[in-house]
mmCIF file of all heavy atoms in Angstrom:
data_model
loop_
_atom_site.group_PDB
_atom_site.id
_atom_site.type_symbol
_atom_site.label_atom_id
_atom_site.label_comp_id
_atom_site.label_asym_id
_atom_site.label_seq_id
_atom_site.Cartn_x
_atom_site.Cartn_y
_atom_site.Cartn_z
ATOM 1 N N VAL A 186 51.968 52.942 67.462
ATOM 2 C CA VAL A 186 50.709 52.332 67.883
ATOM 3 C C VAL A 186 49.662 53.421 68.095
ATOM 4 O O VAL A 186 49.929 54.443 68.732
ATOM 5 C CB VAL A 186 50.885 51.524 69.181
ATOM 6 C CG1 VAL A 186 49.566 50.876 69.603
ATOM 7 C CG2 VAL A 186 51.968 50.463 69.007
ATOM 8 N N THR A 187 48.470 53.203 67.549
ATOM 9 C CA THR A 187 47.345 54.114 67.736
ATOM 10 C C THR A 187 46.181 53.337 68.326
ATOM 11 O O THR A 187 45.806 52.276 67.815
ATOM 12 C CB THR A 187 46.907 54.741 66.402
ATOM 13 O OG1 THR A 187 48.007 55.439 65.819
ATOM 14 C CG2 THR A 187 45.767 55.723 66.619
ATOM 15 N N LEU A 188 45.622 53.855 69.405
ATOM 16 C CA LEU A 188 44.480 53.224 70.070
ATOM 17 C C LEU A 188 43.303 54.187 70.077
ATOM 18 O O LEU A 188 43.474 55.389 70.320
ATOM 19 C CB LEU A 188 44.826 52.840 71.507
ATOM 20 C CG LEU A 188 46.031 51.927 71.723
ATOM 21 C CD1 LEU A 188 46.305 51.770 73.219
ATOM 22 C CD2 LEU A 188 45.813 50.566 71.084
ATOM 23 N N GLN A 189 42.117 53.665 69.804
ATOM 24 C CA GLN A 189 40.901 54.471 69.881
ATOM 25 C C GLN A 189 40.078 54.000 71.070
ATOM 26 O O GLN A 189 39.837 52.802 71.242
ATOM 27 C CB GLN A 189 40.065 54.344 68.604
ATOM 28 C CG GLN A 189 40.704 54.940 67.369
ATOM 29 C CD GLN A 189 41.603 53.967 66.645
ATOM 30 O OE1 GLN A 189 41.344 52.781 66.605
ATOM 31 N NE2 GLN A 189 42.671 54.483 66.053
ATOM 32 N N GLY A 190 39.670 54.955 71.889
ATOM 33 C CA GLY A 190 38.918 54.623 73.097
ATOM 34 C C GLY A 190 37.632 55.418 73.205
ATOM 35 O O GLY A 190 37.574 56.590 72.822
ATOM 36 N N LEU A 191 36.588 54.781 73.708
ATOM 37 C CA LEU A 191 35.302 55.432 73.940
ATOM 38 C C LEU A 191 35.052 55.452 75.440
ATOM 39 O O LEU A 191 35.272 54.438 76.124
ATOM 40 C CB LEU A 191 34.182 54.661 73.228
ATOM 41 C CG LEU A 191 32.797 55.315 73.210
ATOM 42 C CD1 LEU A 191 32.839 56.626 72.417
ATOM 43 C CD2 LEU A 191 31.775 54.352 72.605
ATOM 44 N N GLY A 192 34.598 56.601 75.956
ATOM 45 C CA GLY A 192 34.447 56.713 77.394
ATOM 46 C C GLY A 192 33.195 57.446 77.832
ATOM 47 O O GLY A 192 32.556 58.151 77.042
ATOM 48 N N ILE A 193 32.841 57.262 79.091
ATOM 49 C CA ILE A 193 31.752 57.997 79.721
ATOM 50 C C ILE A 193 32.311 58.701 80.954
ATOM 51 O O ILE A 193 33.242 58.215 81.590
ATOM 52 C CB ILE A 193 30.584 57.077 80.126
ATOM 53 C CG1 ILE A 193 31.062 55.970 81.074
ATOM 54 C CG2 ILE A 193 29.921 56.476 78.900
ATOM 55 C CD1 ILE A 193 29.924 55.119 81.628
ATOM 56 N N THR A 194 31.750 59.857 81.256
ATOM 57 C CA THR A 194 32.259 60.676 82.358
ATOM 58 C C THR A 194 31.120 61.213 83.208
ATOM 59 O O THR A 194 30.087 61.642 82.680
ATOM 60 C CB THR A 194 33.079 61.862 81.810
ATOM 61 O OG1 THR A 194 34.202 61.370 81.093
ATOM 62 C CG2 THR A 194 33.558 62.762 82.938
ATOM 63 N N LEU A 195 31.290 61.183 84.505
ATOM 64 C CA LEU A 195 30.392 61.836 85.445
ATOM 65 C C LEU A 195 31.221 62.847 86.236
ATOM 66 O O LEU A 195 32.292 62.500 86.756
ATOM 67 C CB LEU A 195 29.754 60.829 86.396
ATOM 68 C CG LEU A 195 28.800 59.800 85.772
ATOM 69 C CD1 LEU A 195 28.355 58.789 86.825
ATOM 70 C CD2 LEU A 195 27.582 60.491 85.161
ATOM 71 N N GLY A 196 30.750 64.103 86.302
ATOM 72 C CA GLY A 196 31.566 65.120 86.955
ATOM 73 C C GLY A 196 30.765 66.130 87.750
ATOM 74 O O GLY A 196 29.538 66.220 87.638
ATOM 75 N N ARG A 197 31.502 66.899 88.542
ATOM 76 C CA ARG A 197 30.911 67.983 89.313
ATOM 77 C C ARG A 197 31.852 69.172 89.300
ATOM 78 O O ARG A 197 33.068 69.024 89.439
ATOM 79 C CB ARG A 197 30.649 67.565 90.766
ATOM 80 C CG ARG A 197 29.858 68.611 91.556
ATOM 81 C CD ARG A 197 29.759 68.246 93.032
ATOM 82 N NE ARG A 197 28.788 69.041 93.753
ATOM 83 C CZ ARG A 197 28.967 70.301 94.163
ATOM 84 N NH1 ARG A 197 30.132 70.906 93.907
ATOM 85 N NH2 ARG A 197 28.015 70.947 94.818
ATOM 86 N N ARG A 198 31.267 70.345 89.131
ATOM 87 C CA ARG A 198 32.039 71.585 89.128
ATOM 88 C C ARG A 198 31.864 72.303 90.460
ATOM 89 O O ARG A 198 30.763 72.415 90.991
ATOM 90 C CB ARG A 198 31.583 72.504 87.997
ATOM 91 C CG ARG A 198 32.341 73.830 87.927
ATOM 92 C CD ARG A 198 31.768 74.728 86.849
ATOM 93 N NE ARG A 198 32.540 75.942 86.683
ATOM 94 C CZ ARG A 198 32.408 77.047 87.421
ATOM 95 N NH1 ARG A 198 31.497 77.091 88.404
ATOM 96 N NH2 ARG A 198 33.164 78.107 87.195
ATOM 97 N N PHE A 199 32.981 72.786 90.997
ATOM 98 C CA PHE A 199 32.977 73.606 92.210
ATOM 99 C C PHE A 199 33.428 75.011 91.830
ATOM 100 O O PHE A 199 34.482 75.185 91.201
ATOM 101 C CB PHE A 199 33.931 73.027 93.260
ATOM 102 C CG PHE A 199 33.572 71.636 93.704
ATOM 103 C CD1 PHE A 199 34.021 70.536 92.993
ATOM 104 C CD2 PHE A 199 32.779 71.444 94.826
ATOM 105 C CE1 PHE A 199 33.695 69.254 93.401
ATOM 106 C CE2 PHE A 199 32.441 70.153 95.237
ATOM 107 C CZ PHE A 199 32.899 69.065 94.517
ATOM 108 N N GLY A 200 32.628 76.008 92.186
ATOM 109 C CA GLY A 200 32.943 77.380 91.818
ATOM 110 C C GLY A 200 33.700 78.116 92.906
ATOM 111 O O GLY A 200 33.817 77.658 94.050
ATOM 112 N N PHE A 201 34.233 79.282 92.520
ATOM 113 C CA PHE A 201 34.922 80.178 93.456
ATOM 114 C C PHE A 201 34.137 81.487 93.488
ATOM 115 O O PHE A 201 34.060 82.190 92.479
ATOM 116 C CB PHE A 201 36.364 80.435 93.006
ATOM 117 C CG PHE A 201 37.223 79.198 92.969
ATOM 118 C CD1 PHE A 201 37.337 78.460 91.800
ATOM 119 C CD2 PHE A 201 37.901 78.777 94.097
ATOM 120 C CE1 PHE A 201 38.128 77.320 91.763
ATOM 121 C CE2 PHE A 201 38.689 77.644 94.070
ATOM 122 C CZ PHE A 201 38.798 76.906 92.904
ATOM 123 N N SER A 202 33.545 81.819 94.634
ATOM 124 C CA SER A 202 32.675 82.991 94.723
ATOM 125 C C SER A 202 33.410 84.291 94.408
ATOM 126 O O SER A 202 32.857 85.195 93.785
ATOM 127 C CB SER A 202 32.046 83.076 96.117
ATOM 128 O OG SER A 202 33.058 83.134 97.128
ATOM 129 N N LYS A 203 34.669 84.379 94.825
ATOM 130 C CA LYS A 203 35.424 85.610 94.591
ATOM 131 C C LYS A 203 36.004 85.678 93.184
ATOM 132 O O LYS A 203 36.340 86.761 92.704
ATOM 133 C CB LYS A 203 36.545 85.732 95.626
ATOM 134 C CG LYS A 203 36.034 85.901 97.055
ATOM 135 C CD LYS A 203 37.186 86.107 98.026
ATOM 136 C CE LYS A 203 36.674 86.314 99.450
ATOM 137 N NZ LYS A 203 37.790 86.530 100.409
ATOM 138 N N ILE A 204 36.150 84.542 92.537
ATOM 139 C CA ILE A 204 36.675 84.511 91.162
ATOM 140 C C ILE A 204 35.727 83.626 90.350
ATOM 141 O O ILE A 204 36.027 82.448 90.082
ATOM 142 C CB ILE A 204 38.111 83.952 91.098
ATOM 143 C CG1 ILE A 204 38.954 84.510 92.226
ATOM 144 C CG2 ILE A 204 38.752 84.262 89.751
ATOM 145 C CD1 ILE A 204 40.356 83.953 92.291
ATOM 146 N N PRO A 205 34.564 84.149 89.932
ATOM 147 C CA PRO A 205 33.539 83.315 89.298
ATOM 148 C C PRO A 205 33.973 82.691 87.969
ATOM 149 O O PRO A 205 33.383 81.703 87.546
ATOM 150 C CB PRO A 205 32.376 84.289 89.087
ATOM 151 C CG PRO A 205 33.000 85.655 89.119
ATOM 152 C CD PRO A 205 34.144 85.559 90.066
ATOM 153 N N ARG A 206 34.967 83.263 87.313
ATOM 154 C CA ARG A 206 35.395 82.695 86.035
ATOM 155 C C ARG A 206 36.120 81.357 86.209
ATOM 156 O O ARG A 206 36.199 80.565 85.269
ATOM 157 C CB ARG A 206 36.319 83.672 85.298
ATOM 158 C CG ARG A 206 35.590 84.854 84.669
ATOM 159 C CD ARG A 206 36.569 85.784 83.975
ATOM 160 N NE ARG A 206 35.888 86.890 83.334
ATOM 161 C CZ ARG A 206 35.594 86.943 82.037
ATOM 162 N NH1 ARG A 206 35.914 85.924 81.258
ATOM 163 N NH2 ARG A 206 34.982 87.989 81.525
ATOM 164 N N PHE A 207 36.663 81.112 87.379
ATOM 165 C CA PHE A 207 37.409 79.880 87.616
ATOM 166 C C PHE A 207 36.477 78.789 88.152
ATOM 167 O O PHE A 207 35.515 79.067 88.867
ATOM 168 C CB PHE A 207 38.547 80.106 88.619
ATOM 169 C CG PHE A 207 39.792 80.663 88.008
ATOM 170 C CD1 PHE A 207 40.030 82.025 88.007
ATOM 171 C CD2 PHE A 207 40.726 79.817 87.420
ATOM 172 C CE1 PHE A 207 41.189 82.544 87.445
ATOM 173 C CE2 PHE A 207 41.890 80.323 86.863
ATOM 174 C CZ PHE A 207 42.116 81.684 86.870
ATOM 175 N N GLY A 208 36.813 77.554 87.814
ATOM 176 C CA GLY A 208 36.079 76.418 88.335
ATOM 177 C C GLY A 208 37.024 75.259 88.601
ATOM 178 O O GLY A 208 38.062 75.119 87.943
ATOM 179 N N PHE A 209 36.670 74.439 89.569
ATOM 180 C CA PHE A 209 37.443 73.242 89.875
ATOM 181 C C PHE A 209 36.529 72.041 89.693
ATOM 182 O O PHE A 209 35.408 72.021 90.214
ATOM 183 C CB PHE A 209 37.973 73.292 91.310
ATOM 184 C CG PHE A 209 38.741 72.075 91.721
ATOM 185 C CD1 PHE A 209 40.029 71.856 91.260
ATOM 186 C CD2 PHE A 209 38.161 71.118 92.551
ATOM 187 C CE1 PHE A 209 40.737 70.721 91.627
ATOM 188 C CE2 PHE A 209 38.860 69.990 92.929
ATOM 189 C CZ PHE A 209 40.151 69.789 92.463
ATOM 190 N N HIS A 210 36.972 71.049 88.929
ATOM 191 C CA HIS A 210 36.127 69.919 88.578
ATOM 192 C C HIS A 210 36.745 68.611 89.063
ATOM 193 O O HIS A 210 37.968 68.431 89.020
ATOM 194 C CB HIS A 210 35.968 69.814 87.056
ATOM 195 C CG HIS A 210 35.486 71.065 86.401
ATOM 196 N ND1 HIS A 210 34.257 71.156 85.776
ATOM 197 C CD2 HIS A 210 36.069 72.283 86.247
ATOM 198 C CE1 HIS A 210 34.108 72.372 85.272
ATOM 199 N NE2 HIS A 210 35.198 73.071 85.555
ATOM 200 N N THR A 211 35.874 67.714 89.498
ATOM 201 C CA THR A 211 36.278 66.325 89.752
ATOM 202 C C THR A 211 35.432 65.434 88.850
ATOM 203 O O THR A 211 34.211 65.634 88.733
ATOM 204 C CB THR A 211 36.072 65.930 91.217
ATOM 205 O OG1 THR A 211 34.697 66.091 91.576
ATOM 206 C CG2 THR A 211 36.937 66.776 92.129
ATOM 207 N N GLU A 212 36.072 64.466 88.227
ATOM 208 C CA GLU A 212 35.384 63.611 87.258
ATOM 209 C C GLU A 212 35.788 62.149 87.440
ATOM 210 O O GLU A 212 36.964 61.848 87.657
ATOM 211 C CB GLU A 212 35.711 64.052 85.824
ATOM 212 C CG GLU A 212 35.293 65.476 85.512
ATOM 213 C CD GLU A 212 35.769 65.944 84.150
ATOM 214 O OE1 GLU A 212 36.555 65.217 83.514
ATOM 215 O OE2 GLU A 212 35.372 67.052 83.729
ATOM 216 N N LEU A 213 34.807 61.277 87.314
ATOM 217 C CA LEU A 213 35.051 59.840 87.260
ATOM 218 C C LEU A 213 34.722 59.366 85.855
ATOM 219 O O LEU A 213 33.657 59.687 85.313
ATOM 220 C CB LEU A 213 34.175 59.102 88.284
ATOM 221 C CG LEU A 213 34.508 59.325 89.760
ATOM 222 C CD1 LEU A 213 33.467 58.620 90.632
ATOM 223 C CD2 LEU A 213 35.905 58.818 90.090
#
Side-chain angles (χ1 to χ4, degrees):
V186 181
T187 302
L188 304 174
Q189 293 88 34
L191 188 64
I193 57 174
T194 298
L195 294 175
R197 188 187 193 283
R198 180 184 185 276
F199 299 86
F201 298 92
S202 58
K203 295 184 178 181
I204 318 177
R206 285 179 178 261
F207 277 95
F209 178 75
H210 306 246
T211 59
E212 300 173 352
L213 291 175

